[in-house]
């Protein structure tokens, strides 16, 4: 209940809503000179933007109320490429207005176009009409307020889409492959789930509680990627997730909870070598699991909000930091298990049995570290550096890494008779060293 309340409060605090590529934002008494309205988006040859602004007011120091009368030629919207965004910051530092930087920006319209009576304006823009030799590109949408010592109020609705033939596609170039990617992953995870379930059933008495919990985890992972596939497919056609995002949030929360529960339980040997969880491990579970679930769902939900909200970047950084910290905390049970096994190998007479368990957990530790590093660091770098038509490769890499981690964990901890799992076998060199150690007085 407490975790759900925290998540609800967090989501309410985020502000302006985005439905797919339809951005709905309310800006209130905002004195920022530059506001990112829409993050870099890949447009094809038929790329278009539709912008509606209403309820505009300009606030100046000493004025008790806002004004709707111009001139407002220093306030408006423009687009630019991601490569030029760094220059915008330099121009602002030199008190240059981005609306005047014709070399790096394309001004869409200024607020002089607003109807003084209604304070509203609607404009549609075709990128092919504004750019010479245009065949596609990646652009960000910005709002600029170059009026000194002023703040602004307005409501904005933005639609970003591509026209392909006689069809409107609301997915940007680079993300139009995502429905296929996620449905393919659904097939692969479902196949993995069927194979794993068969192994658990066949294992009979050698199957432990953790093996059945892993079946549930794979099931929720399959449902997660299936809901993603339908969500992006629906967005592509209608511009809105039509409820599939809700299913995605639910399955993601369940999958996040189960994933870290399974990793921690495997790392502590629960149900596999010992039928209990220590108090220290219980406390870690109580802290890491709720935080990880909240962070995962909130990060996804945050992506559906416009960065025009003043707190958007702050929440993004906080949530990603929480996610990384939780991933690092998951490593502690593995370290504890390795330390306990190392100490046991030095004190008891069952050196061989203890050493093979130690080898198991060392390799599992390396697997978890590699998985976290790849999905949190490498995938982020791919998203940041890949050309926009190939951004789908980052999502594919993340899902394939998850599939590989599931398969490797399943092979390592599969239900088999004691001593039959090759993962527990010592190398010849280790066996010789242990034999010598036993023969020494």
């Amino acid at each position: 209940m407490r975790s759900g309340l925290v998540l609800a409060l967090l989501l309410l605090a985020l502000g302006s809503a985005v439905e797919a590529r339809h951005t709905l934002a309310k800006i209130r008494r905002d004195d920022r000179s530059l506001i990112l309205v829409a993050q870099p988006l890949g447009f094809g040859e038929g790329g278009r933007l539709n912008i509606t602004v209403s309820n505009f007011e300009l606030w100046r120091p000493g004025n008790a109320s806002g004004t709707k009368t111009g001139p407002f030629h220093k306030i408006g919207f423009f687009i630019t490429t991601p490569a030029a965004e760094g220059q915008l910051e330099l121009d602002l530092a030199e008190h240059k207005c981005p609306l005047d930087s014709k070399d790096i920006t394309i001004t869409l319209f200024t607020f002089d176009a607003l109807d003084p009576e209604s304070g509203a304006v609607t404009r549609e823009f075709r990128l092919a009409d504004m750019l010479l030799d245009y065949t596609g590109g990646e652009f960000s949408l910005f709002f600029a307020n170059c009026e000194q010592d002023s703040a602004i109020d307005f409501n904005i609705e933005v639609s970003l889409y591509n026209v392909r033939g006689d069809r409107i596609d609301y997915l940007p170039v680079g993300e139009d492959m995502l429905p296929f990617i996620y449905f393919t992953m659904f097939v692969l995870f479902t196949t993995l789930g069927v194979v794993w379930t068969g192994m658990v059933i066949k294992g009979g008495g050698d199957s432990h509680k953790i093996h059945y919990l892993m079946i549930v985890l794979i099931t929720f992972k399959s449902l997660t990627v299936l809901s993603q596939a339908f969500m992006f497919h629906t967005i592509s056609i209608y511009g809105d997730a039509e409820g599939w995002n809700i299913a995605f949030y639910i399955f993601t929360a369940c999958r996040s909870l189960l994933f870290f529960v399974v990793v921690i339980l495997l790392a502590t040997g629960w149900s596999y070598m010992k039928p209990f969880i220590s108090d220290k491990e219980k406390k870690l579970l109580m802290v890491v699991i709720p935080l990880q679930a909240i962070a995962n769902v909130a990060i996804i939900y945050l992506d559906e909000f416009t960065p025009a909200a003043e707190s958007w970047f702050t929440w993004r950084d906080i949530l990603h930091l929480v996610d990384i910290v939780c991933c690092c905390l998951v490593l502690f049970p593995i370290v504890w298990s390795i330390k306990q096994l190392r100490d046991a190998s030095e004190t008891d007479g069952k050196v061989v049995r203890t050493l093979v368990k130690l080898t198991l957990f060392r390799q599992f530790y390396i697997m978890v570290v590699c998985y976290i590093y790849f999905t949190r660091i490498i995938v982020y770098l791919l998203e940041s550096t890949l050309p926009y038509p190939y951004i789908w490769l980052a999502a594919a890499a993340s899902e394939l890494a998850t599939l590989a981690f599931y398969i490797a964990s399943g092979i390592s901890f599969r239900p088999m008779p004691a001593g039959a799992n090759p993962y527990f076998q010592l190398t010849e060199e280790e066996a010789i060293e242990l034999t010598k150690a036993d023969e020494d007085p």
Side-chain angles (χ1 to χ4, degrees), residues 108-219:
L108 301 179
F109 67 89
T110 62
F111 279 29
D112 282 333
L114 289 171
D115 183 349
E117 296 296 327
S118 63
V121 62
T122 298
R123 293 285 188 274
E124 183 178 66
F125 303 93
R126 295 177 70 250
L127 293 173
D129 294 338
M130 297 186 294
L131 298 167
L132 294 175
D133 302 323
Y134 173 78
T135 57
E138 189 177 25
F139 297 94
S140 304
L141 175 63
F142 282 90
F143 166 81
N145 178 13
C146 299
E147 290 284 344
Q148 295 295 322
D149 301 321
S150 65
I152 43 89
D153 282 7
F154 65 87
N155 298 340
I156 182 172
E157 179 177 355
V158 177
S159 294
L160 310 172
Y161 55 92
N162 289 294
V163 177
R164 294 187 171 102
D166 57 352
R167 185 176 74 88
I168 292 177
D169 189 345
Y170 288 93
L171 284 181
V173 175
E175 293 185 19
D176 47 0
M177 286 286 293
L178 292 183
F180 172 78
I181 295 294
Y182 287 121
F183 189 79
T184 301
M185 296 311 302
F186 164 71
V187 174
L188 293 176
F189 277 109
T190 301
T191 303
L192 177 63
V194 171
V195 172
W196 179 254
T197 302
M199 292 175 62
V200 173
I201 294 174
K202 185 178 179 181
D206 295 315
S207 298
H208 302 283
K209 295 177 182 179
I210 191 67
H211 297 131
Y212 292 97
L213 196 60
M214 291 166 77
I215 293 176
V216 181
L217 170 61
I218 297 174
T219 300

Side-chain angles (χ1 to χ4, degrees), residues 16-249:
S16 311
V18 176
E19 298 178 352
R21 298 303 168 182
H22 295 302
T23 301
L24 304 172
K26 294 182 179 180
I27 307 299
R28 294 293 178 263
R29 292 290 186 99
D30 199 318
D31 60 356
R32 288 177 290 171
S33 299
L34 195 63
I35 298 176
L36 177 62
V37 178
Q39 297 188 81
L41 192 89
F43 291 97
E45 295 183 6
R48 299 188 185 186
L49 304 89
N50 190 296
I51 303 175
T52 298
V53 177
S54 60
N55 300 327
F56 172 79
E57 287 187 310
L58 179 68
W59 301 81
R60 290 191 174 94
N63 289 356
S65 60
T67 177
K68 295 183 179 180
T69 58
F72 296 135
H73 62 279
K74 291 186 178 181
I75 303 174
F77 292 91
F78 68 89
I79 58 173
T80 188
T81 62
E85 291 182 14
Q87 184 61 41
L88 292 177
E89 298 294 336
L90 297 176
D91 289 347
L92 286 174
E94 297 175 359
H95 304 290
K96 296 179 181 179
C97 182
L99 297 171
D100 298 329
S101 303
K102 304 302 181 183
D103 293 336
I104 61 173
T105 67
I106 301 172
T107 299
L108 301 179
F109 67 89
T110 62
F111 279 29
D112 282 333
L114 289 171
D115 183 349
E117 296 296 327
S118 63
V121 62
T122 298
R123 293 285 188 274
E124 183 178 66
F125 303 93
R126 295 177 70 250
L127 293 173
D129 294 338
M130 297 186 294
L131 298 167
L132 294 175
D133 302 323
Y134 173 78
T135 57
E138 189 177 25
F139 297 94
S140 304
L141 175 63
F142 282 90
F143 166 81
N145 178 13
C146 299
E147 290 284 344
Q148 295 295 322
D149 301 321
S150 65
I152 43 89
D153 282 7
F154 65 87
N155 298 340
I156 182 172
E157 179 177 355
V158 177
S159 294
L160 310 172
Y161 55 92
N162 289 294
V163 177
R164 294 187 171 102
D166 57 352
R167 185 176 74 88
I168 292 177
D169 189 345
Y170 288 93
L171 284 181
V173 175
E175 293 185 19
D176 47 0
M177 286 286 293
L178 292 183
F180 172 78
I181 295 294
Y182 287 121
F183 189 79
T184 301
M185 296 311 302
F186 164 71
V187 174
L188 293 176
F189 277 109
T190 301
T191 303
L192 177 63
V194 171
V195 172
W196 179 254
T197 302
M199 292 175 62
V200 173
I201 294 174
K202 185 178 179 181
D206 295 315
S207 298
H208 302 283
K209 295 177 182 179
I210 191 67
H211 297 131
Y212 292 97
L213 196 60
M214 291 166 77
I215 293 176
V216 181
L217 170 61
I218 297 174
T219 300
F220 275 111
K221 177 59 182 177
S222 298
L223 292 174
T224 298
V225 290
L226 178 64
S227 61
Q228 278 182 287
F230 281 113
M231 181 177 70
F232 281 104
H233 175 71
T234 306
I235 289 173
S236 174
I237 297 174
Y238 303 107
D240 185 84
E242 299 287 338
W244 281 106
N245 54 336
I246 305 300
F248 178 50
Y249 300 147

Side-chain angles (χ1 to χ4, degrees), residues 326-395:
C326 288
C327 289
C328 294
L329 288 175
V330 168
L331 300 176
F332 280 96
I334 311 177
V335 175
W336 295 336
S337 298
I338 291 174
K339 184 179 183 301
Q340 290 170 358
L341 290 170
R342 184 185 293 113
D343 294 341
S345 68
E346 297 173 355
T347 57
D348 63 26
K350 301 175 182 178
V351 182
V352 175
R353 182 178 177 184
T354 304
L355 185 57
V356 291
K357 292 179 182 178
L358 183 60
T359 303
L360 168 69
F361 283 105
R362 280 175 175 167
Q363 295 189 21
F364 185 61
Y365 173 82
I366 293 172
M367 283 168 49
V368 175
V369 170
C370 291
Y371 175 73
I372 291 174
Y373 181 80
F374 187 86
T375 56
R376 265 61 182 184
I377 306 298
I378 301 300
V379 170
Y380 174 77
L381 293 175
L382 287 174
E383 291 175 345
S384 304
T385 57
L386 280 172
Y388 73 93
Y390 304 103
I391 197 68
W392 58 271
L393 288 173

